Amino acid sequence: MRGHRFLKFLFKLAIPLTAVVLLAGTAVASDGGRSSREDTSSSQRYDDGDDDRDGDDGSEQELTGIVSSISTTQWVIGGQTFQVNSGTEIEGRPSVGSRVKVEYYTSGNRAVAREIERKGKSTTTRPPVTTTPPVPTTTIPLPPPPTTTIPPPPPPTTTIPPPPTTTPPPPPPTVAPVSYTATIQPILNSCTGCHGGTAGVTLSSYSGTRATVTAGNAAASRLYNALISGGTMQGYTSSANVQLIADWIDQGALNN
């Protein structure tokens, strides 16, 4: 009889304990769902199908900087490019211009972000809007312009200088024709003692003399250069006779 009463007491005690356990489980489940929802709302994840965590070959590092570029696969933070994937956590809804802290690891030659967390406010500032009140417009009548008669200026006096006087150059000196027969041959007769048919030069005839000159160009003539070179022939005639020979050659070395 006593055993039956004890079992009945235990059965009565089990009913409220079961209710307490069920209520506690419901509360835990409710808190877990709410916490899961809060974590989901405060964090963003990129799901691009490329998780590089398996290739982690470096220690985890941190960097704090300004976000300058955002795309679906990579962010540029503090001048450094970070790859983002399905394992990257984005907290605080950062944007371009935000100051963030990035936790990352290296995979090959790439920096892969594990977590990007916004720090402080965005560094992008907008210029203040300046509102200028409208300026009232007041129309002031202008006085009539004074009527002043200005006399026309006198015509300018332009002095035209006389044309310059150009003095023509003096005419070239007139050289009288030089005759071979009357002038040149008598001068060369003093040379025929040596050049009368020997030494390859003959000055005793027109043809022999003509072979030693270049008609029209005394400076290029062998005879003229021999007379002015300071050699032996220069002592057999005067400078006036040498000039006559040069004039005769420049006039064409005619047999006149």
Side-chain angles (χ1 to χ4, degrees):
M1 190 68 177
R2 289 181 179 179
H4 179 70
R5 288 180 179 177
F6 181 73
L7 290 176
K8 188 175 180 179
F9 171 77
L10 290 178
F11 179 76
K12 289 181 179 180
L13 182 63
I15 291 175
L17 288 176
T18 302
V20 170
V21 170
L22 289 177
L23 289 175
T26 301
V28 170
S30 176
D31 291 340
R34 182 168 59 255
S35 175
S36 175
R37 287 193 300 273
E38 290 176 354
D39 292 341
T40 303
S41 62
S42 63
S43 301
Q44 300 174 350
R45 290 180 180 268
Y46 280 86
D47 187 4
D48 57 1
D50 181 14
D51 191 347
D52 287 339
R53 294 199 178 193
D54 293 338
D56 184 358
D57 57 6
S59 60
E60 187 168 302
Q61 304 178 57
E62 291 185 0
L63 180 143
T64 301
I66 305 301
V67 180
S68 58
S69 175
I70 295 177
S71 69
T72 57
T73 59
Q74 65 182 20
W75 289 40
V76 179
I77 302 171
Q80 183 173 346
T81 301
F82 296 91
Q83 302 294 321
V84 296
N85 52 41
S86 59
T88 303
E89 296 185 5
I90 312 296
E91 297 186 1
R93 301 183 181 275
S95 60
V96 173
S98 299
R99 182 178 179 85
V100 300
K101 181 184 77 173
V102 55
E103 297 179 3
Y104 67 96
Y105 63 92
T106 57
S107 176
N109 59 353
R110 299 183 304 168
V112 183
R114 290 191 188 277
E115 180 180 358
I116 300 174
E117 180 183 4
R118 181 171 179 172
K119 296 290 185 181
K121 297 182 179 180
S122 173
T123 60
T124 303
T125 59
R126 296 181 180 180
V129 178
T130 303
T131 303
T132 304
V135 178
T137 58
T138 303
T139 303
I140 301 175
L142 298 176
T147 57
T148 303
T149 302
I150 302 174
T157 58
T158 303
T159 303
I160 301 175
T165 57
T166 303
T167 304
T174 303
V175 179
V178 181
S179 169
Y180 170 76
T181 303
T183 304
I184 301 303
Q185 187 58 59
I187 295 174
L188 295 179
N189 285 337
S190 61
C191 302
T192 56
C194 296
H195 299 290
T198 61
V201 176
T202 301
L203 299 178
S204 58
S205 64
Y206 172 76
S207 60
T209 303
R210 179 67 176 81
T212 64
V213 302
T214 300
N217 190 352
S221 299
R222 186 167 47 141
L223 174 60
Y224 175 74
N225 288 320
L227 292 172
I228 65 173
S229 62
T232 305
M233 289 188 65
Q234 187 175 3
Y236 284 88
T237 185
S238 64
S239 59
N241 289 339
V242 173
Q243 184 60 48
L244 289 172
I245 293 173
D247 293 342
W248 172 71
I249 295 172
D250 289 336
Q251 292 173 9
L254 301 177
N255 187 10
N256 52 359

